[in-house]
Amino acid sequence: MTKQDEGGLTRRHFLELPAKVIAGSVLAGALGLPLEARATDPKAMEYFRKGLQLAEQGNYEEALISYKEGVRIDPKINKFPDFKVKKAGELYDLGFTFVLKDSNRAIDYFGQSIQLEPINPITYHQRGRILAKKGNPREGVHDFKKAVSLQPNYSPAIGDLGRHLTALGEHEEAYFWNRLYMLMEPNPRLKAESAVYLNENKKILGIN
């Protein structure tokens, strides 16, 4: 794979950031990538889930405190699940290959994968990205939130929530997700990109 997908990912990025870019075991195997451990410390996950629950209630400051405690317990974040259903992984991979060539087919394949395995956040996130790119940002946000509900420390979907909610003008909620992404994301380049949206939130909300 040499072409970039809609997020600008190339084979070089796959090799540099395997755990962040892909979770489909079939495609990972085809690229010769090692399958990394996906487990997250159960106690840390308790804090992540509590943080998500607080965020859903609008208690953003308390939610951030809970997430911070989860990261303190298990700082090795960005551990994503592999597909448990082989066919779901194959359909995900098909969808991924059509991201640039035919976005409607990609959405269809991701939807089929979700039907077979509705508990994998990766597929919701990828479908949400395409929906947002096609001019349906609220549908994209819905899929991003579903991804985070399945795995509260799934930072790619957290980042996309911050970005797209900012674009939709929902700055109070976007401010929380952008702050959380800055906490969860270890890559300096990606954090710098998110900081642009965070600063816009601060400006609109009158936060120094």
Side-chain angles (χ1 to χ4, degrees):
M1 181 180 295
T2 55
K3 294 182 179 180
Q4 290 186 329
D5 73 356
E6 287 182 311
L9 300 173
T10 63
R11 177 178 172 80
R12 175 175 60 82
H13 293 110
F14 273 99
L15 296 174
E16 291 175 349
L17 302 169
K20 291 181 56 52
V21 177
I22 197 70
S25 57
V26 177
L27 184 56
L31 291 171
L33 301 178
L35 294 177
E36 301 187 2
R38 308 297 182 185
T40 298
D41 183 282
K43 189 65 177 177
M45 188 57 74
E46 283 184 30
Y47 280 102
F48 295 145
R49 293 198 181 283
K50 180 182 177 183
L52 179 61
Q53 184 179 33
L54 288 165
E56 289 171 344
Q57 297 168 355
N59 299 321
Y60 297 126
E61 295 303 322
E62 293 179 47
L64 199 62
I65 290 170
S66 188
Y67 264 98
K68 285 180 178 178
E69 183 62 16
V71 173
R72 185 191 67 79
I73 293 170
D74 186 1
K76 296 179 181 179
I77 55 177
N78 291 327
K79 302 170 186 174
F80 307 138
D82 293 319
F83 286 92
K84 298 186 181 351
V85 180
K86 182 180 179 182
K87 183 64 176 178
E90 291 172 351
L91 287 166
Y92 172 91
D93 297 340
L94 280 170
F96 195 84
T97 62
F98 278 99
V99 165
L100 279 182
K101 294 184 286 187
D102 188 337
S103 59
N104 287 327
R105 287 186 72 180
I107 290 170
D108 181 59
Y109 280 125
F110 288 143
Q112 291 181 53
S113 178
I114 287 169
Q115 286 183 337
L116 287 175
E117 188 172 355
I119 59 171
N120 198 308
I122 311 294
T123 320
Y124 284 101
H125 177 234
Q126 287 295 339
R127 187 177 70 174
R129 291 178 67 209
I130 299 175
L131 289 167
K133 286 276 188 181
K134 286 175 64 66
N136 300 300
R138 292 201 179 277
E139 291 183 41
V141 165
H142 178 272
D143 271 3
F144 300 147
K145 287 188 174 182
K146 180 63 177 180
V148 176
S149 74
L150 291 168
Q151 186 157 328
N153 61 333
Y154 183 44
S155 66
I158 290 171
D160 276 327
L161 274 172
R163 286 186 284 274
H164 287 286
L165 286 169
T166 298
L168 287 166
E170 298 181 16
H171 290 281
E172 184 178 3
E173 185 177 1
Y175 178 57
F176 165 73
W177 292 113
N178 283 321
R179 289 170 70 198
L180 181 56
Y181 185 72
M182 297 291 283
L183 170 68
M184 306 288 286
E185 176 54 56
N187 185 289
R189 179 182 63 82
L190 296 177
K191 289 178 77 167
E193 291 174 3
S194 186
V196 175
Y197 298 94
L198 181 62
N199 288 334
E200 183 177 347
N201 301 148
K202 288 181 174 181
K203 182 178 179 180
I204 296 296
L205 296 172
I207 299 171
N208 294 325

